[in-house]
Amino acid sequence: MGKMDYLKKLPIAVLGGGAVGKTCAADIKLAGRAVRLYDIMPYAKTSLRNLAKTGILLDGVQRNRDCFERSGRAYLDLVTTDMAAAVRGAGLIVVACGSWGHEAIFRELIPQLEDGMVINIFTDNFACLLLRKLMGEMGCTKRVIVGGWSSAPYGTRIESIGKFQFPHVGAKYRAITLRGAALPMTDTDDFLTAAQYLPCLDAVTKGDGPQKGHTILDIDFANVNPVIHVPATILGVSTMENWGVIFGGHDKTTYSMYSHGLCPSICEVQYQFYNEEIALAQDPWRGLSLL
C-alpha cells in the first residue's frame, strides 16, 4: 500500500473490552486520537458497563527504560456492541482479546472491512492465519493489511472486586520494543510503518522501535505465553479449583498461577514444551506429521 500517513487522522477502533483493550483505548484517546471501543456480547454486559459515562482511568507505574508515561481519565468517542459502528471509516483496528474470542470477533469484523484498513492483533497467537482463512471463506477481497505482534504493549490489569470491574486499568509496564509481521509477509514493511500512527505503541516507536519478524509464524512461536501458561494451567488445575475452597482462605481472586500453580515438575514440562517448539521451528514438516 506504500505511504501510510493517511492513517494519522482517521479514527481507531479497539475490539475487545478486557484489560489490554481498555488500556489501548484509554491510551489512544489520551494521545488525542478518536477511538471507538467494541466488545462482543455477552461479555460486553460486564466489560462495557457505564464506560460511556465514566470513561476509563489509566494509571499505574508503567515501568520502562525510557520513563514513558501517559495517564488520566479517557472519555471515548464511542462504546458499542455494534461492529459496523465501531469500524466504519477507521484506519487502524486493534484486536485485543484472548485467542478464544478471535473467531467470533473476526466473523463480525470481516463484512465491515474497508480498503486501506490496518489490523493489529495483540497478541497474534496464529490469529492472522485464522483471519485470512475466514476472509477467504467469506469471500472478502478488501485490500487490508493484517498483522500481529508477539505480545501486548503493556502488562496491565483491570481493577476489580469479585466480579465487579471498575473503569480503571493499571499498567505495570510498557514495552519499548515488540516483534511484528504481516500476512502476507510482503505487507510487513507497511504494517510496521503504520505502527507510528498507533498511540498505544508510542513507547515502542519512541523506544527501540518495532522489530521485523521473519514470518508471522516466527511471531507466533516467539510468544512465550503458551509455553508458560498451558502446562501450568492444565497440570495445576487441582490447585486452581481448590483455591478459595480448601486453600487460600475464601477468596478465589488471590490465586496466582506463578505463585501457586508452578512447581519443579511442571517447570520441567514447560521446558519440554519449549524444546518441542524449537524442533517444530527447525523442521516444520515434522509438525505436519503430528497432525
Side-chain angles (χ1 to χ4, degrees):
M1 290 186 178
K3 199 172 182 181
M4 307 304 292
D5 61 356
Y6 68 91
L7 297 168
K8 63 185 176 183
K9 294 184 178 179
L10 294 177
I12 298 172
V14 177
L15 312 182
V20 173
K22 283 178 175 167
T23 306
C24 285
D27 202 13
I28 292 166
K29 186 60 186 177
L30 291 170
R33 296 287 297 277
V35 61
R36 307 154 180 172
L37 178 63
Y38 164 93
D39 207 357
I40 197 167
M41 296 294 284
Y43 306 108
K45 289 182 179 179
T46 299
S47 65
L48 302 185
R49 182 186 299 155
N50 292 329
L51 285 189
K53 175 183 177 181
T54 64
I56 301 171
L57 175 63
L58 167 60
D59 61 13
V61 292
Q62 304 183 35
R63 292 185 182 92
N64 63 89
R65 182 198 63 197
D66 302 328
C67 300
F68 183 94
E69 179 187 356
R70 188 180 284 133
S71 300
R73 185 171 298 277
Y75 292 91
L76 311 182
D77 296 272
L78 181 66
V79 178
T80 184
T81 58
D82 182 343
M83 180 67 80
V87 304
R88 185 180 300 116
L92 289 153
I93 296 174
V94 172
V95 179
C97 68
S99 56
W100 59 85
H102 284 156
E103 182 169 354
I105 283 181
F106 291 163
R107 289 188 180 278
E108 294 290 319
L109 170 63
I110 288 169
Q112 312 302 330
L113 290 175
E114 301 172 9
D115 288 342
M117 288 177 166
V118 180
I119 301 163
N120 292 259
I121 304 173
F122 297 112
T123 300
D124 189 63
N125 288 325
F126 304 95
C128 286
L129 292 167
L130 176 61
L131 179 52
R132 285 295 189 188
K133 176 177 181 288
L134 292 174
M135 287 175 66
E137 291 176 356
M138 297 172 69
C140 178
T141 58
K142 296 295 183 181
R143 295 181 66 251
V144 299
I145 292 176
V146 175
W149 297 94
S150 59
S151 186
Y154 330 88
T156 184
R157 293 291 184 269
I158 298 172
E159 183 186 0
S160 62
I161 296 178
K163 294 184 178 180
F164 181 80
Q165 293 186 0
F166 290 93
H168 175 194
V169 286
K172 308 301 182 184
Y173 68 84
R174 285 179 179 263
I176 59 171
T177 187
L178 285 176
R179 301 180 71 245
L183 184 67
M185 191 65 190
T186 50
D187 286 338
T188 295
D189 287 340
D190 286 343
F191 175 67
L192 297 182
T193 298
Q196 67 184 292
Y197 304 109
L198 185 56
C200 62
L201 288 175
D202 280 353
V204 171
T205 56
K206 298 177 189 300
D208 288 345
Q211 300 297 311
K212 183 177 180 179
H214 298 295
T215 65
I216 194 62
L217 288 178
D218 166 27
I219 298 303
D220 295 322
F221 279 116
N223 180 9
V224 73
N225 282 341
V227 175
I228 296 174
H229 295 172
V230 175
T233 300
I234 294 174
L235 298 178
V237 69
S238 61
T239 304
M240 186 190 310
E241 290 186 347
N242 284 324
W243 198 262
V245 180
I246 61 175
F247 304 138
H250 299 287
D251 187 358
K252 286 183 174 292
T253 65
T254 63
Y255 176 81
S256 166
M257 181 192 69
Y258 300 101
S259 298
H260 310 122
L262 292 175
C263 65
S265 297
I266 291 177
C267 290
E268 180 63 27
V269 174
Q270 290 173 321
Y271 183 60
Q272 295 303 320
F273 190 146
Y274 174 64
N275 284 329
E276 182 68 17
E277 283 199 343
I278 292 174
L280 288 171
Q282 291 174 338
D283 183 8
W285 293 108
R286 182 168 179 261
L288 293 176
S289 69
L290 296 174
L291 296 179

